[in-house]
Amino acid sequence: MATFVDRVVLHATGGDGGHGCASIHREKFKPLAGPDGGNGGNGGSVIVEVDPQVTTLLPFHHLPHRRAASGTQGMGDHRSGSTAEDLVLAVPDGTVVKAPDGTVLADLVGAGSRYVVAAGGRGGLGNAALASPRRKAPGFALLGEPGETAEVVLELKTIADVALVGFPSAGKSSLVAAISAARPKIADYPFTTLVPNLGVVQAGDFRYTVADVPGLIPGASQGKGLGLEFLRHIERCAVVVHVLDCATLESGRDPVSDLDVIEAELAAYSEDLEVAAGGVPLVERPRVVVLNKIDVPEARELADLVRAELEGRGVPVFEISAASHEGLRALTFALAERVAAARRAAPVAEATRVVLRPRAVDDSGFTVKRREGGGQVWFAIRGEKPERWVRQTDFANDEAVGYLADRLARAGVEDALYKAGAVAGDEVRIGPDENSVVFDWEPTLLTGSELLGGPRGSDVRLEDRSRPTRGQKRREYTERMDAKAAARAEMWTEREQGVWTDPDV
């Protein structure tokens, strides 16, 4: 069973907002004392937050679908619905939130860093909040908005000061176990380490962390072996330590060739990495070469032979034995010096700035475009406000539909339709193509609160109350008189034929 997971797909859904309430206050001697419907509560949001006590994404591997609680609906007597609590998901430090297409949405570094994955829906307004001097007692309320649905990828990039890289069975796990309290799995076969191991090293009064990355092989940057899955864990390290096996029994391998291969793989992997402001590229970070397993006589001799060549490349070389702990003290203090220097050179973290981006003066907040497809022509309306207003409208209530018409007209949607070339009877769609509200546009409909004299829950603009003209009345009267004359003639004919007097007929 997996105990370490560093990449998961999270399906998050925010809570729905509660519906508003349409209620009229009633008491003795005051049967209609005004609207008192409360607002619906807001739905909870799904938030990921860095928790220093969490080290793996395993909980999201088992439960990838997470949904926040919904708000409750409003009630009469001005009682608003309760707002649901946010669903806060703890993630390890160094978690990167990405969109399914690979776009980085957030890089969570530091305890308390958070990102809203799926926002909760807004609660609907009750009829008390919708009342106005002309609409004194609305017979409707707004519906709560559904919560957002999002699918994101969570990737864990271990935050360690020192990264140990090298071929399988080079002794990286043994080195971590020797210089820290970590106890990784150690065995004499390749790819014993299947997941990164993290250890804390104490060098005098200085403390730093060391990460053991699973063994790399030629082609790791292209996906061979296990290296590609875990190379991301060295992106944030300050010092790269090459652990070279001086006692390998494989033919064609030696410490110098192993170093060249691993350096080439790191260079190939770092080509696609973005360097943060003030950061140092991966290939330019401090390097340290460790010649391991010198407790073996042949390995000590090989280390003495290659030491001068490696030092000629300008990198410090340390000969150690993870088994006998020879040379470990000097190595730990040398790494502490380089980590301390990297921390001093790191840019000072600045407080997060709040960036205000006001809307442009000529930005109406929506767009109207003429669309064609399948032999049909329609006008698509997209925008945050129109789509939100549609989601809040109860289309079973005529007064609510009239209120929506008022809001769209005040926002300038009708004028925009005129400019786009729409005429009466054209099809209009508000929202995305897969889930839009479709209606036939009737620009002759009047809008305004002065036409709200009908019963609550109704709108006279949606009823056929047109008065007939004088010509229509004359035609109706003529048709009615002609029908009466024809009926009298038919009855007289039947009477003359004895239909009414002869009992046999």
Side-chain angles (χ1 to χ4, degrees):
M1 181 178 179
T3 58
F4 180 88
V5 175
D6 64 344
R7 187 182 188 278
V8 295
V9 178
L10 174 64
H11 307 270
T13 304
D16 299 335
H19 300 330
C21 176
S23 173
I24 299 297
H25 182 69
R26 290 177 174 83
E27 59 181 82
K28 190 175 182 180
F29 305 119
K30 292 182 179 180
L32 297 176
D36 65 350
N39 303 332
N42 297 330
S45 301
V46 180
I47 303 174
V48 291
E49 183 178 7
V50 172
D51 186 352
Q53 303 300 322
V54 179
T55 59
T56 178
L57 299 174
L58 184 62
F60 307 105
H61 174 72
H62 296 305
L63 296 174
H65 296 270
R66 303 298 180 95
R67 182 185 181 90
S70 300
T72 59
Q73 69 178 31
M75 294 171 285
D77 199 16
H78 300 283
R79 291 175 294 175
S80 298
S82 59
T83 297
E85 295 184 359
D86 295 332
L87 177 61
V88 181
L89 306 177
V91 296
D93 195 1
T95 300
V96 179
V97 184
K98 295 183 178 181
D101 60 358
T103 304
V104 177
L105 303 177
D107 193 350
L108 305 178
V109 178
S113 301
R114 54 169 47 195
Y115 174 75
V116 179
V117 178
R122 184 183 305 181
L125 297 179
N127 64 341
L130 298 174
S132 65
R134 294 189 175 183
R135 183 184 282 107
K136 297 182 180 297
F140 69 98
L142 298 185
L143 304 179
E145 291 185 77
E148 293 182 355
T149 301
E151 179 180 308
V152 297
V153 179
L154 303 181
E155 286 188 358
L156 174 59
K157 296 181 179 180
T158 303
I159 298 181
D161 299 308
V162 178
L164 305 182
V165 296
F167 272 73
S169 299
K172 300 183 298 297
S173 298
S174 300
L175 180 56
V176 171
I179 62 178
S180 70
R183 292 296 175 263
K185 182 180 179 181
I186 300 174
D188 58 351
Y189 56 85
F191 297 112
T192 305
T193 302
L194 300 178
V195 298
N197 299 309
L198 197 65
V200 179
V201 181
Q202 187 76 31
D205 296 334
F206 192 80
R207 179 179 295 180
Y208 58 94
T209 55
V210 178
D212 164 26
V213 180
L216 305 179
I217 62 174
S221 59
Q222 282 76 39
K224 293 184 180 180
L226 300 177
L228 183 61
E229 287 295 321
F230 301 105
L231 276 174
R232 70 174 72 97
H233 293 278
I234 69 172
E235 293 180 16
R236 306 179 190 273
C237 68
V239 181
V240 178
V241 176
H242 289 276
V243 181
L244 305 180
D245 187 0
C246 292
T248 180
L249 299 178
E250 297 182 23
S251 60
R253 280 187 52 191
D254 61 83
V256 177
S257 62
D258 288 357
L259 177 62
D260 294 337
V261 170
I262 300 304
E263 283 287 341
E265 294 301 326
L266 294 181
Y269 177 74
S270 62
E271 290 179 355
D272 298 331
L273 297 181
E274 296 182 0
V275 181
V280 180
L282 181 61
V283 294
E284 299 179 9
R285 295 176 192 174
R287 296 290 203 270
V288 174
V289 173
V290 172
L291 301 176
N292 194 17
K293 303 181 183 180
I294 62 172
D295 55 299
V296 180
E298 294 80 1
R300 187 181 296 272
E301 295 177 1
L302 180 59
D304 294 338
L305 291 175
V306 301
R307 182 185 181 98
E309 182 179 352
L310 296 176
E311 289 179 344
R313 299 186 179 188
V315 294
V317 180
F318 294 87
E319 299 180 10
I320 69 162
S321 172
S324 63
H325 292 197
E326 181 180 351
L328 294 184
R329 180 176 175 82
L331 174 63
T332 56
F333 278 89
L335 294 179
E337 293 178 1
R338 287 162 175 78
V339 171
R343 291 180 181 177
R344 290 192 298 267
V348 179
E350 298 181 358
T352 304
R353 297 182 179 181
V354 178
V355 181
L356 302 179
R357 295 183 175 87
R359 195 177 66 184
V361 177
D362 57 349
D363 184 8
S364 61
F366 63 89
T367 59
V368 178
K369 294 183 179 180
R370 186 177 186 273
R371 304 277 296 275
E372 296 183 13
Q376 295 182 344
V377 177
W378 71 90
F379 293 84
I381 300 176
R382 298 302 307 273
E384 179 184 357
K385 285 187 176 181
E387 294 180 27
R388 173 160 52 87
W389 294 343
V390 166
R391 291 193 298 266
Q392 293 177 330
T393 301
D394 179 11
F395 287 93
N397 188 302
D398 290 344
E399 189 177 357
V401 177
Y403 180 71
L404 172 63
D406 292 342
R407 302 177 86 177
L408 294 176
R410 286 194 299 267
V413 174
E414 188 164 310
D415 295 337
L417 286 171
Y418 272 120
K419 294 180 181 179
V423 297
D426 282 346
E427 182 178 308
V428 176
R429 301 180 184 180
I430 301 179
D433 294 337
E434 62 275 7
N435 186 23
S436 60
V437 175
V438 183
F439 60 91
D440 293 335
W441 185 44
E442 293 293 342
T444 56
L445 281 177
L446 298 177
T447 59
S449 301
E450 65 275 5
L451 297 178
L452 300 176
R456 287 189 301 276
S458 63
D459 194 297
V460 297
R461 292 168 293 177
L462 303 181
E463 300 178 6
D464 186 11
R465 297 194 176 201
S466 57
R467 296 180 58 184
T469 62
R470 182 173 300 177
Q472 291 175 342
K473 290 182 178 180
R474 186 179 296 109
R475 285 194 298 271
E476 292 177 359
Y477 176 79
T478 302
E479 292 174 357
R480 188 165 55 252
M481 292 298 101
D482 292 344
K484 288 183 178 180
R488 283 195 296 269
E490 182 180 358
M491 293 174 61
W492 182 257
T493 302
E494 292 177 352
R495 182 177 181 180
E496 288 181 344
Q497 293 177 354
V499 176
W500 293 358
T501 57
D502 189 353
D504 296 333
V505 178

